[in-house]
């Protein structure tokens, strides 16, 4: 069987799970049809259940299962302790690192180490991508709010400028929108951030924030704000491959991830049935950014 043109990747778990849940999840993921798995804590340094050695151990097991493993850096660095942990991550010696902030980018580029450029770096033009390529970038992630039209143009411009590198698109999951030095989940529980009692672990898929009109708008995940609905671009995978996207990222959820991966694997092989806008799954998705519309829009529902 030939290898699909478009690869699937599992992004890092954005929520705070227990050690047992992480272990079980990646034990199952070893058998899923994804080529790339990104590991690590990208949101909050207070989530200490998993140490670097734990992630390295899981990474080695996934490597034995035939996966390409990436270690992701924290997106918001707030202390010297965070910097020490970042240095250890960048110097791990086993796996390529996904740089999610300028601290990681500087550490990796100064050390002459190859890296993946995360979406939080906000790469929007060929000039910037050219600089990143020269400093060791091996793959880059498109900003989550970039439209299909703009991404296609950027990929074409990069090819013309001779700075093309594999591009990864956030194809499934709650969209990471913002980070803050404040912890919204701790505040919801009227607890200071530095004495949070790890309340975010009570919400393995985040805490829903509703508008005054009772519409689900955001998902709160500690210091991170995500979209309420999950972006779902499974029906766009053939077009992604045609425009030059190399990897479709699937962001882990607490339940049903095996079925989601299976659906995306079918989609990249053009074996997925047409969307059903009346189904529960299709009703709880968003894809507005991809079509140049407000991010919370669901074009499948509009089309129906």
């Amino acid at each position: 069987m030939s290898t699909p043109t478009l690869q699937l990747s599992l992004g890092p778990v954005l929520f705070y799970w227990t050690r047992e849940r992480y272990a079980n999840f990646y034990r199952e993921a070893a058998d899923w049809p994804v080529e790339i798995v990104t590991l690590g804590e990208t949101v909050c340094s207070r989530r200490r259940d998993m140490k670097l050695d734990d992630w390295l151990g899981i990474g080695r097991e996934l490597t034995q299962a035939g996966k390409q493993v990436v270690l992701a850096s924290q997106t918001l660095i707030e202390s010297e302790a965070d910097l020490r942990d970042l240095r250890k991550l960048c110097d791990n010696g086993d796996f390529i690192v996904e740089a999610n902030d300028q601290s990681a980018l500087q550490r990796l580029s100064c050390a002459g180490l190859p890296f993946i450029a995360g979406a939080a770096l906000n790469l929007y033009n060929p000039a910037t991508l050219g600089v990143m390529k020269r400093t060791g970038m091996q793959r880059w992630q498109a900003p989550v709010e970039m439209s299909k039209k703009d991404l296609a143009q950027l990929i074409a411009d990069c090819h013309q400028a001779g700075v093309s590198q594999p591009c990864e698109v956030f194809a499934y999951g709650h969209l990471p929108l913002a980070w803050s030095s404040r912890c919204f989940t701790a505040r919801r529980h009227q607890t200071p951030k530095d004495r949070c009692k790890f309340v975010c672990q009570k919400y393995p898929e985040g805490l829903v924030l509703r508008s005054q009109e009772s519409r689900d708008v955001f998902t709160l995940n500690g210091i991170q704000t995500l979209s309420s609905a999950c972006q779902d671009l499974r029906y766009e995978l053939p077009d992604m491959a045609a425009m030059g996207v190399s990897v479709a990222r699937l962001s882990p959820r607490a339940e049903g991830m095996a079925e989601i991966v299976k659906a995306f694997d079918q989609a990249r092989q053009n074996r997925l049935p047409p969307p059903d806008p009346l189904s529960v799954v299709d009703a709880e998705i968003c894809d507005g950014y991809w079509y140049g519309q407000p991010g919370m829009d669901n074009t499948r529902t509009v089309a129906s």
Side-chain angles (χ1 to χ4, degrees):
M1 181 181 296
S2 61
T3 302
T5 302
L6 186 74
Q7 293 186 313
L8 296 180
S9 73
L10 271 183
V13 175
L14 300 179
F15 306 105
Y16 189 21
W17 293 354
T18 63
R19 286 175 59 89
E20 181 181 8
R21 189 165 213 157
Y22 286 122
N24 291 338
F25 179 82
Y26 288 112
R27 190 176 300 115
E28 294 179 12
D31 296 324
W32 295 346
V34 296
E35 287 75 33
I36 304 166
V37 181
T38 303
L39 304 172
E41 176 55 53
T42 64
V43 178
C44 180
S45 61
R46 289 183 58 78
R47 298 175 177 181
R48 302 190 182 104
D49 282 22
M50 297 289 287
K51 308 295 185 183
L52 177 58
D53 286 343
D54 297 319
W55 292 121
L56 291 174
I58 292 175
R60 294 183 187 107
E61 292 176 2
L62 289 169
T63 300
Q64 292 178 357
K67 312 300 184 187
Q68 176 191 338
V69 173
V70 179
L71 293 181
S73 75
Q74 195 173 313
T75 305
L76 184 61
I77 301 295
E78 300 185 81
S79 67
E80 181 59 38
D82 289 350
L83 283 173
R84 287 197 298 270
D85 290 341
L86 175 64
R87 295 183 193 111
K88 293 178 183 177
L89 180 79
C90 293
D91 300 340
N92 75 87
D94 288 331
F95 304 114
I96 193 170
V97 171
E98 175 183 298
N100 285 308
D101 89 315
Q102 292 298 323
S103 302
L105 181 59
Q106 182 181 31
R107 178 73 178 183
L108 293 162
S109 59
C110 289
L113 295 171
F115 62 89
I116 310 298
L121 293 182
N122 295 320
L123 306 177
Y124 290 99
N125 59 74
T128 303
L129 287 164
V131 171
M132 300 290 278
K133 180 179 180 180
R134 290 192 292 274
T135 58
M137 182 183 73
Q138 303 296 301
R139 184 169 72 247
W140 63 282
Q141 294 168 30
V144 297
E145 73 275 13
M146 183 172 281
S147 70
K148 173 182 179 178
K149 178 181 178 181
D150 289 343
L151 180 59
Q153 184 63 57
L154 178 54
I155 291 174
D157 289 346
C158 287
H159 181 74
Q160 185 175 8
V163 295
S164 294
Q165 285 284 67
C167 173
E168 184 171 358
V169 168
F170 192 102
Y172 183 86
H174 296 283
L175 289 164
L177 301 174
W179 293 260
S180 171
S181 59
R182 293 186 177 185
C183 178
F184 305 112
T185 310
R187 184 164 183 170
R188 168 66 177 80
H189 284 262
Q190 299 182 340
T191 303
K193 178 182 175 182
D194 58 354
R195 297 192 298 275
C196 66
K197 300 179 182 178
F198 309 108
V199 291
C200 57
Q201 202 167 54
K202 296 180 180 180
Y203 307 100
E205 289 211 23
L207 180 63
V208 176
L209 178 65
R210 296 182 175 88
S211 68
Q212 291 182 338
E213 295 76 25
S214 298
R215 179 179 182 182
D216 294 354
V217 181
F218 299 117
T219 297
L220 301 182
N221 176 37
I223 68 171
Q224 184 184 53
T225 301
L226 306 160
S227 63
S228 174
C230 285
Q231 174 154 280
D232 187 344
L233 301 180
R234 70 184 73 181
Y235 297 99
E236 290 292 321
L237 262 56
D239 285 348
M240 283 186 195
M243 63 194 273
V245 173
S246 300
V247 182
R249 169 169 290 204
L250 314 180
S251 187
R253 299 185 65 181
E255 304 293 340
M257 202 62 204
E259 290 74 16
I260 291 166
V261 171
K262 180 180 178 181
F264 272 81
D265 184 43
Q266 292 174 331
R268 64 174 168 173
Q269 300 176 55
N270 293 303
R271 295 193 293 109
L272 195 64
D276 178 5
L278 299 180
S279 75
V280 174
V281 172
D282 288 339
E284 295 181 344
I285 65 101
C286 62
D287 56 11
Y289 281 143
W290 187 247
Y291 295 102
Q293 300 175 11
M296 65 175 63
D297 282 3
N298 179 348
T299 61
R300 294 185 208 167
T301 300
V302 173
S304 66

